[in-house]
Each structure stands twice: as structure tokens, then as C-alpha cells.
Amino acid sequence: MTESALPTTSREWRLLSRPVGWPKPEDFELAEAEIRQPGPGEVLVRNAYVSVDPYMRGRMSAAKSYVAPFELGKAMQGGAVGEVVASAAEGVSVGDHVLHFGGWREYATFDAKQAVKVDPEAAPLSTYLGVLGMTGLTAYAGLLRTGSFKEGDSVFVSGAAGAVGSQVGQIARLKGASRVIGSAGSDEKVKLLVEEYGFDAAFNYKNGPVAAQLREAAPDGVDVYFDNVGGDHLEAAIGSLNEKGRIVICGMISVYNNTEAAPGPKNLARLIATRGRIEGFLVGDHYDLQQEFVQEVGGWVRSGELKYRETVVEGIENNLEAFLGVLRGDNTGKMIVKL
């Protein structure tokens, strides 16, 4: 596509007001914006796929956090992958495909240094937002580095049918876990975990108390718990933690829309007896593992040893609904919007 054939405007999602509790449609708007041609060192990208992720809920709040909040009245950001349609940057050509953070919009103009080239021949473009992207690296770094996983460990994963959780469980299995247990929010997802992803056991947390279901699924206890949920799942994991067990705090989706502080686990004192460890982590601290991650996990994906699912929503106009779907747990695997 030549520059003269490009449209002059692009649709983008903006945050109008900071949500209290669950985000509401009136907190956002889908607006038309003029497409800016790239200046020196910049590229213009037509997005093919954009990502919606739970962490984005935190950016809608003004509270101080590890990442700056979205600015009111301006386009939101998120992971995206697309094709370069105009370039004023050395080393980046029209037709190249890049991964970047100018999501929630159809076209994005930005400094080429913020883009990472990806190969659509090596893997489908959408995978660079999921299994081979940030969520995949989150699973890899969180389990292997923060969780200090070792062969023979018993691993429990909450939110196990999601983009991160499903990969954590499979990596643990491929690395020699003695037992992999997952929790999910539907019987269909539980079946997927066991039959397709190779988990040894899984349970639907809506079917009864998490602590009791976990004890039944992991009678010999848990060495590593990968937490995507928080709340009763975290308390249950502390209750089943083996000596010198590790708890990795990746996310706590159960409390993201709370308007009051959620109560903490009542059994934290058990960590004294188990000499257990709880540690939070951010994927941004582990990009030094990127090359190793892509090489190892890419090999598993190509061989079929590691399976992945994507929930694909069509159209930029449905970006907000896709995001709300992630918060509700509607997705199996990575939630992606195809533009």
C-alpha cells in the first residue's frame, strides 16, 4: 500500500473517566483521529491484531503503580502487532511486521525504537501477542525464575485456562513436574486443561470451596503455586504448601474491580512452619530471558508439545467488550482483537 492510498483517519479507544468498580461503556469512547505521517526515526503501522489484558484495568485507575495510568481523553495503549505502511526510520521498511504497544487503535505512529520486528513466516502474527509474546514470557519467567521451579515439583496454577496459566502448566509438565493442577471457571475449561494441555488434575472453582478441591487434587501438597487470581485461591495454596514451597504472585484478577480492600489470607502464619516464600514479579524485569524463551517455547509450539488457544474477537469496535470479557473470564487462552 502506498502512502497516498492510506486513509486519513483512524479509530481509537479513549478513556473518558476512571472506572469505579467494574468498567462501564460510558467510561470510554471510540473516536476518530487524524493519522499522523511518520517524522524522522518514526514508523506508521496498520495494526492487524491488538491485545487486551487484565493489567490494563490497573492503568484505568489514577493510583500509583508500576506503570503509568492511561491519560483521560487520549488513546489508550496496549500490545499490538501489525504491518509498517510508512517509514522514516533506518532499518525498518514498508512491509515489515512489528510488535509494539500502540494498541487500542487501527493505525499507530511512533518511534521505530519502540518496535520489535517479527516474522509472520515463523509463526502466526497473533502468537506474538500470546504464546510467543508477553503472556508467554510471563509464564516462562514467573515459573522458572521467580518460582525457582525444579524437576519433580508439584505445581498448582489458578486461572489455568487463560493465556498465562495454560502456558505455566504446560511448561511445568514439559520440565518434569511430578504433578500439575489447575483451577478454572467452567467444566469445559477443566476438561480442556486435562485432555488437551496435559494437566494431571483440574477443578472448577465454582463447584465448591477451593481449599477442599485443591486438597483432593493435590493430596501430597504443592511445591509451587502460580497465582493469577488471589483471594480464596491464595489462601488455599498457602494451606496446601509443602516445606520450602514457593508462591508466585503474577496477578489477582479476583480483586481488580473491588471498591474496598479485599481481606488477606487468614493462614499466612503457616508460612513460618513451611518456610514458604511469596514473591511478586513483573515480566518487564525479565526481558533478558526473551531469546532463550522464544527458542525453547517456539520449539515446543512447532513440535506440537505445547498447545495454545486464542479467543479472537473481530473489529476495533469490539475492543472494549473483549477487554471486559477478559475480566469476566470469557476467554480460553489469549484474548485478541483482529482488526
Side-chain angles (χ1 to χ4, degrees), residues 89-263:
E90 196 175 326
V92 183
S93 305
V94 170
D96 285 346
H97 290 83
V98 295
L99 175 66
H100 61 96
F101 278 92
W104 288 81
R105 69 200 83 183
E106 293 175 303
Y107 286 80
T109 306
F110 53 90
D111 188 332
K113 291 175 183 172
Q114 298 170 354
V116 176
K117 285 188 188 181
V118 296
D119 183 0
E121 301 296 321
L125 275 180
S126 59
T127 62
Y128 293 105
L129 294 175
V131 66
L132 295 178
M134 185 178 72
T135 53
L137 181 59
T138 299
Y140 190 85
L143 176 68
L144 302 181
R145 179 175 278 173
T146 308
S148 304
F149 172 84
K150 60 184 184 299
E151 188 176 349
D153 279 344
S154 171
V155 176
F156 171 45
V157 189
S158 57
V164 174
S166 59
Q167 221 160 324
V168 171
Q170 292 186 81
I171 292 170
R173 174 177 56 77
L174 289 162
K175 290 280 192 180
S178 61
R179 190 165 178 81
V180 179
I181 304 105
S183 73
S186 74
D187 293 342
E188 183 183 11
K189 287 180 178 179
V190 166
K191 186 178 178 183
L192 173 73
L193 292 176
V194 175
E195 295 185 1
E196 187 166 329
Y197 294 157
F199 282 58
D200 296 290
F203 60 85
N204 181 346
Y205 66 82
K206 297 175 182 175
N207 288 349
V210 175
Q213 293 196 77
L214 178 58
R215 280 195 300 272
E216 184 178 347
D220 296 323
V222 170
D223 298 303
V224 179
Y225 169 50
F226 195 103
D227 190 17
N228 292 305
V229 174
D232 54 357
H233 281 74
L234 177 57
E235 189 167 292
I238 293 171
S240 283
L241 200 66
N242 288 332
E243 187 175 303
K244 300 215 174 145
R246 288 85 68 204
I247 293 176
V248 179
I249 305 294
C250 177
M252 291 193 173
I253 199 168
S254 69
V255 303
Y256 285 171
N257 294 304
N258 288 6
T259 54
E260 296 180 8

